[in-house]
Amino acid sequence: MLYHALGLMSGTSLDGLDICHASFSYEHADGWKYRILNCETVKYPAAWEQALGGARMISAEDLFALNTAYGKYLGEQVNLFLKKNGLTPPDVIGSHGHTVFHQPERGFTVQIGDGRAIKMLNDVPVVYDFRSADVLRGGNGAPLVPIGDRLLFAEYGACLNLGGFSNISLEYAGQRIAFDICPVNTVLNRFAQLLSKPFDLGGQLAATGTADLKVVQKLNELGFYLQSPPKSLGAEWVERQVLPLLEPLSARDALATFTEHAAIQISFALENYKVNNLLITGGGAYNAYLLERIAARSGCKLTVPESEVVEFKEALIFAFMAVLRLRQENNVLSSATGSDSDHCSGILV
């Protein structure tokens, strides 16, 4: 059976809204196959970047208003995307929304962007709020993409996403496990912006800085890294635990220091699970200096696929999760999130 779906993804690094239009087909003999048909990153206007970036600091009333407004914005962007590409309405839209709070240890996670507004503007079934049900089941609500890694990218030993945070998924002891490894672009972009750059292109700024090995050691000693998977990170943790260690450094040295820290933590994970064939996606896949440091420390074969997969894999998988939700099939793996069981998640409207 063939499905057409749109996936919408907004990451913590505020690069923009990723929209991915893909087809998914299922045959009993071959399993699931996908094709990316159209994709686009819509750069946020300054007002939206500011609103989303500051969403954690506003009142509850203003957050509810932002949830509605952002849902309408998503719906409008879907409408424009469909018209621009001459597309008929898809079978379903899967919207991740934009994460504002992620505190599963306290029993909640919040992704804004009301899916009902997306549906009202496009008259297409919409699946949204994929994470909350998992948190209610005792899980971390993250990572969610391992279901797609297992069913769409099984030829790789592990899949590593380098976005605002780095997360990995792999088959281990008969289960698909996944976990956040460490922050990446949510930290690197912050210090690149102090140097009047939106991000550190290719890691060139980090490569000209000097890593402070004492700070690297302090970062490596943070309690999160001692926890066993499944585990996940949020922006609040970065602000409390990471930034105070880096802020005394110059911006270039902070970039070099944190790049070395990220390479160490990612290499630890690869060595610990004996990964020798790694698919790397997300904006950080273009950070040549970071990849160089990972390769030097791990000796693992690193594969960076075509740009559409690098940039839109998460949006692709949220489209796929929406298809699974339509079929009432499990789209969240408890072995990855730590919830009480595999389940079919997302609000369908």
Side-chain angles (χ1 to χ4, degrees):
M1 188 162 184
L2 182 67
Y3 298 87
H4 283 83
L6 284 189
L8 311 179
M9 178 69 198
S10 175
T12 51
S13 53
L14 289 170
D15 295 336
L17 172 66
D18 291 340
I19 307 176
C20 181
H21 170 223
S23 65
F24 300 93
S25 59
Y26 181 79
E27 299 289 343
H28 284 291
D30 301 324
W32 284 100
K33 303 292 182 186
Y34 75 91
R35 284 185 62 212
I36 295 177
L37 303 172
N38 311 87
C39 49
E40 178 184 0
T41 296
V42 179
K43 183 173 172 53
Y44 286 125
W48 270 114
E49 188 173 342
Q50 184 177 359
L52 295 174
R56 291 195 306 279
M57 309 303 173
I58 62 180
S59 68
E61 292 95 332
D62 287 343
L63 184 60
F64 277 110
L66 186 62
N67 178 53
T68 299
Y70 185 57
K72 290 180 178 177
Y73 173 82
L74 294 176
E76 290 163 358
Q77 294 307 314
V78 166
N79 203 287
L80 289 170
F81 179 84
L82 294 174
K83 287 179 180 175
K84 180 162 55 174
N85 291 288
L87 302 175
T88 56
D91 297 304
V92 67
I93 298 169
S95 177
H96 171 270
H98 187 83
T99 298
V100 178
F101 298 109
H102 182 67
Q103 298 182 33
E105 71 280 1
R106 297 181 63 191
F108 69 90
T109 183
V110 178
Q111 287 74 43
I112 60 171
D114 196 323
R116 295 169 297 184
I118 302 172
K119 178 171 183 175
M120 286 172 63
L121 289 166
N122 293 278
D123 195 26
V124 171
V126 175
V127 182
Y128 70 108
D129 193 10
F130 286 95
R131 298 188 187 273
S132 292
D134 188 76
V135 171
L136 289 170
R137 290 172 173 267
N140 280 286
L144 299 184
V145 297
I147 187 69
D149 292 342
R150 168 180 272 183
L151 299 178
L152 301 178
F153 296 96
E155 66 267 35
Y156 297 97
C159 296
L160 176 71
N161 179 67
L162 296 176
F165 298 88
S166 60
N167 49 69
I168 192 168
S169 91
L170 62 140
E171 298 292 331
Y172 181 73
Q175 291 186 313
R176 191 83 193 186
I177 65 166
F179 54 94
D180 284 353
I181 298 175
C182 63
V184 181
N185 292 338
T186 192
V187 172
L188 297 179
N189 290 0
R190 188 186 194 100
F191 288 97
Q193 286 158 14
L194 295 178
L195 297 169
S196 301
K197 302 290 185 182
F199 56 91
D200 185 5
L201 180 64
Q204 294 174 19
L205 297 173
T208 61
T210 301
D212 187 317
L213 298 183
K214 290 183 178 178
V215 175
V216 171
Q217 183 176 347
K218 289 179 181 177
L219 288 165
N220 289 336
E221 291 171 351
L222 291 174
F224 174 81
Y225 300 120
L226 301 176
Q227 297 174 24
S228 298
K231 56 183 180 177
S232 65
L233 287 166
E236 303 97 317
W237 183 84
V238 172
E239 291 172 358
R240 290 194 305 263
Q241 302 285 330
V242 174
L243 295 181
L245 294 174
L246 294 170
E247 283 168 345
L249 305 178
S250 70
R252 285 178 190 270
D253 288 354
L255 286 165
T257 299
F258 197 77
T259 296
E260 194 65 20
H261 164 68
I264 289 170
Q265 291 301 326
I266 291 166
S267 297
F268 280 166
L270 298 177
E271 291 166 7
N272 193 36
Y273 291 98
K274 298 179 173 57
V275 176
N276 54 27
N277 177 19
L278 182 69
L279 178 72
I280 303 180
T281 57
Y286 297 128
N287 187 327
Y289 182 63
L290 174 58
L291 267 57
E292 176 187 311
R293 298 305 303 144
I294 295 170
R297 286 190 167 276
S298 70
C300 181
K301 178 187 176 184
L302 310 182
T303 299
V304 177
E306 59 272 24
S307 61
E308 288 181 343
V309 178
V310 168
E311 297 168 27
F312 295 95
K313 177 169 170 278
E314 284 193 294
L316 169 76
I317 290 179
F318 279 100
F320 180 55
M321 291 176 67
V323 169
L324 294 177
R325 175 68 180 86
L326 269 189
R327 290 166 59 96
Q328 298 183 326
E329 295 178 5
N330 288 339
N331 59 5
V332 177
L333 299 174
S334 59
S335 58
T337 67
S339 60
D340 59 12
S341 62
D342 296 350
H343 55 279
C344 184
S345 188
I347 298 172
L348 173 62
V349 293

